[in-house]
Amino acid sequence: MIELKYGASRVEPRQDAAMQRFRGHRVGQFIHWGLYSLPAGRWEGKDVDFAAEFLPRVAKIPQQRWEALANDFTLADFDAGQWADTAVALGARYMTITTKHHDGFCLWPSAYTDFHMGNTPSGRDVLAELIEAYEARGIDVNFYYSVLDWRHPDWRFTLENDADHTAFARYLDFAMKQLEELAARYPSVKGFWFDGTWDQSVKANGWWTWEVERMLKERIPGVMVNSRLRADDLGARHIDSNGLLMGDYESGYERRLPEPWDHSVAARDWEACMTIPQASWGYHQGPWAQSTLKHPWDVVDMIARCTSLGGNFLLNFGPRGDGSMAPAEVEIATRVGEWLAVNGDAIYGCGFAEGWDHPGWGYFTCSTNGDVFAIVTRVPVSGRIRLQLPAGLELVELRLLGSASSEQPYKRLADSLFEVELGAALSTGPLVFATETCAKAGPVSRKEPNPDVLD
Ligand code: JFZ
């Protein structure tokens, strides 16, 4: 073990009530909203086929012209209740909103900059409105905060000389004050999701990331902090130089998920975040983004995969510049949420099913009571799946969630191998079977198929 002052603060995952609540959520709504939502990937009549929130950099927009967008951020169609309804429709249990993205614009009236929502025509405190609307519906709110800041004069990507060190020390002080401000103004926030911490300047100041985590936890008991905030004494990020997770959950999975058979990830808490279009977080109006929207069943597959490996899934929404949600995203949220309304027993509060080998046709998940669910997202061309039970278990019943008939026909192929005919139910999307099993009586033996259970 290397002696670290600013490494991980624990060896084992957190088990307090706030952590268990977060872990049980499994489905969250990410929201990227800011000035970039107004041009939405188009500048001077031309589509810029890159993530919409990167527009000022990619299109090299002069700073003054970017800042002038604040005058057009009128919130004509912004209704926090409607956003929260979208989260309810999705079946999300938490929401994470960009309080400040890389362009430095703040969604709250910060005392430490003029570049904020309070100086836009409406002057509304949208974070307060959102917290009220989401919490009224029982949905936790978390804050995304970009440490990287393209606008602040003291931001540095690298620290090359004394002047850089002095400026960047001022920057870290500014960001700390903003975070103290957010914690003081919105004390019911459940977590902070840090971003923009990958530059050498931040890695050289691991102490600051440690100090931010400590400060937030002191002020907001139970608060969650993602691993992306953190760097240790030696500049190692997410995982410290001793191999231990920093922060409360690992947040490195972005627009990619762990391999479905990689059970090793279940040893830690983690969260994956995902865009609805191929690659834009902010709303992008062009065909580059709009022709790549994911199908709701693809989203269900990802939710099931994350749950089966003990992780949360944070699905991103990019509301438009006028404050309205994009209808195509609301539609996808609704379809996913309808599936969760029927099949949520296999997702919420569930995790890795120990002993159940990854099946090619989908995933196994396990509730805290030990109930195991089989989620079928990749249907074999035969229309049948093979269900392999862990050694020592006997199948008592298979129940299709959302189905009127209480039992699903299956037949035994070998001792603990069963075949299930999926049949007509398939047309309704990914199927979920609740399995009921019991321990086999006597020593585990390889029996011949029992003719009584064959159809
Ligand atoms: C960052 C942002 O740049 C982006 O705009 C968005 O907010 C997203 C959630 O986070 O983008 C990243 C961050 C990390 C990786 C890739 C893109 N990564 O670790 O591979």
Side-chain angles (χ1 to χ4, degrees):
M1 289 283 271
I2 307 168
E3 193 66 43
L4 294 172
K5 264 162 96 179
Y6 306 114
S9 41
R10 79 186 72 76
V11 174
E12 296 294 323
R14 268 174 65 174
Q15 295 298 352
D16 56 283
M19 185 71 223
Q20 290 188 30
R21 179 177 168 91
F22 176 73
R23 183 181 292 142
H25 287 333
R26 290 303 180 227
V27 184
Q29 178 186 44
F30 210 175
I31 295 186
H32 277 70
W33 194 52
L35 298 183
Y36 47 80
S37 311
L38 285 159
R42 187 172 295 162
W43 195 253
E44 295 181 330
K46 283 202 206 82
D47 275 13
V48 179
D49 292 350
F50 200 85
E53 72 279 10
F54 275 76
L55 184 70
R57 289 259 136 173
V58 179
K60 302 197 170 64
I61 299 174
Q63 185 61 29
Q64 271 177 319
R65 293 193 62 193
W66 190 255
E67 290 179 19
L69 288 170
N71 303 323
D72 303 332
F73 212 28
T74 59
L75 277 56
D77 278 308
F78 173 72
D79 175 355
Q82 268 172 18
W83 287 21
D85 287 342
T86 305
V88 171
L90 169 65
R93 297 280 165 96
Y94 67 107
M95 181 275 260
T96 305
I97 172 109
T98 49
T99 60
K100 180 187 90 157
H101 205 264
H102 308 338
D103 70 351
F105 181 75
C106 299
L107 283 192
W108 81 101
S110 176
Y112 304 100
T113 175
D114 292 332
F115 197 40
H116 62 69
M117 204 67 169
N119 291 332
T120 62
S122 80
R124 283 159 73 178
D125 186 343
V126 297
L127 291 187
E129 291 180 35
L130 288 166
I131 287 174
E132 191 185 333
Y134 278 76
E135 289 184 351
R137 291 161 179 78
I139 300 174
D140 291 347
V141 175
N142 296 271
F143 289 163
Y144 165 109
Y145 181 91
S146 172
V147 177
L148 161 64
D149 192 317
W150 294 328
R151 179 177 179 272
H152 199 289
D154 292 328
W155 167 263
R156 294 291 182 279
F157 291 93
T158 54
L159 305 177
E160 275 153 24
N161 49 45
D162 286 352
D164 286 343
H165 280 274
T166 310
F168 198 64
R170 279 196 305 266
Y171 180 79
L172 292 179
D173 187 48
F174 155 80
M176 181 69 81
K177 287 206 172 78
Q178 284 210 315
L179 292 162
E180 288 169 355
E181 187 180 38
L182 282 170
R185 284 184 68 94
Y186 311 102
S188 67
V189 64
K190 297 295 184 291
F192 283 79
W193 202 105
F194 289 94
D195 195 19
T197 46
W198 45 76
D199 289 297
Q200 181 265 336
S201 54
V202 181
K203 288 195 281 188
N205 284 282
W207 69 271
W208 180 85
T209 71
W210 184 92
E211 189 56 38
V212 168
E213 181 175 354
R214 191 200 59 75
M215 180 279 288
L216 292 173
K217 288 184 171 171
E218 190 180 286
R219 298 187 182 207
I220 304 180
V223 77
M224 298 285 144
V225 172
N226 66 336
S227 65
R228 193 176 289 186
L229 166 67
R230 297 281 277 108
D232 75 3
D233 315 40
L234 305 174
R237 298 193 49 238
H238 295 274
I239 311 286
D240 75 12
S241 301
N242 291 315
L244 298 174
L245 179 72
M246 295 182 284
D248 302 313
Y249 61 96
E250 203 264 339
S251 59
Y253 291 102
E254 174 169 308
R255 294 201 298 114
R256 71 190 172 92
L257 304 183
E259 296 297 344
W261 50 84
D262 184 7
H263 297 169
S264 69
V265 302
R268 289 189 179 121
D269 288 296
W270 57 276
E271 177 200 66
C273 55
M274 188 61 69
T275 50
I276 291 179
Q278 178 65 32
S280 192
W281 298 88
Y283 177 62
H284 193 300
Q285 59 187 308
W288 174 76
Q290 294 302 317
S291 62
T292 62
L293 304 187
K294 291 178 179 62
H295 190 281
W297 298 158
D298 295 331
V299 174
V300 165
D301 179 74
M302 292 175 181
I303 291 172
R305 196 203 292 195
C306 290
T307 301
S308 77
L309 295 171
N312 285 2
F313 184 76
L314 189 60
L315 182 65
N316 184 69
F317 292 72
R320 299 182 289 192
D322 61 6
S324 61
M325 281 278 173
E329 295 190 346
V330 176
E331 168 66 17
I332 291 164
T334 306
R335 300 276 301 281
V336 172
E338 284 165 1
W339 185 89
L340 280 167
V342 173
N343 299 295
D345 284 353
I347 301 293
Y348 303 118
C350 291
F352 177 57
E354 187 76 55
W356 295 66
D357 289 340
H358 168 66
W361 40 256
Y363 310 96
F364 289 116
T365 64
C366 184
S367 75
T368 42
N369 305 331
D371 297 330
V372 172
F373 298 91
I375 307 179
V376 187
T377 56
R378 287 145 205 244
V379 180
V381 70
S382 64
R384 299 155 187 206
I385 59 164
R386 292 191 165 184
L387 189 66
Q388 174 74 60
L389 266 52
L393 286 188
E394 182 59 85
L395 189 60
V396 178
E397 191 190 284
L398 266 191
R399 192 168 47 82
L400 181 63
L401 298 194
S403 153
S405 72
S406 60
E407 268 188 53
Q408 177 72 19
Y410 55 86
K411 70 181 182 189
R412 188 190 301 270
L413 299 181
D415 186 32
S416 53
L417 182 66
F418 298 83
E419 185 178 85
V420 187
E421 191 91 47
L422 299 175
L426 272 180
S427 58
T428 59
L431 301 176
V432 179
F433 296 102
T435 68
E436 198 188 313
T437 57
C438 65
K440 271 187 186 134
V444 180
S445 63
R446 289 208 72 83
K447 282 184 286 184
E448 285 304 302
N450 178 351
D452 294 340
V453 294
L454 294 177
D455 56 12

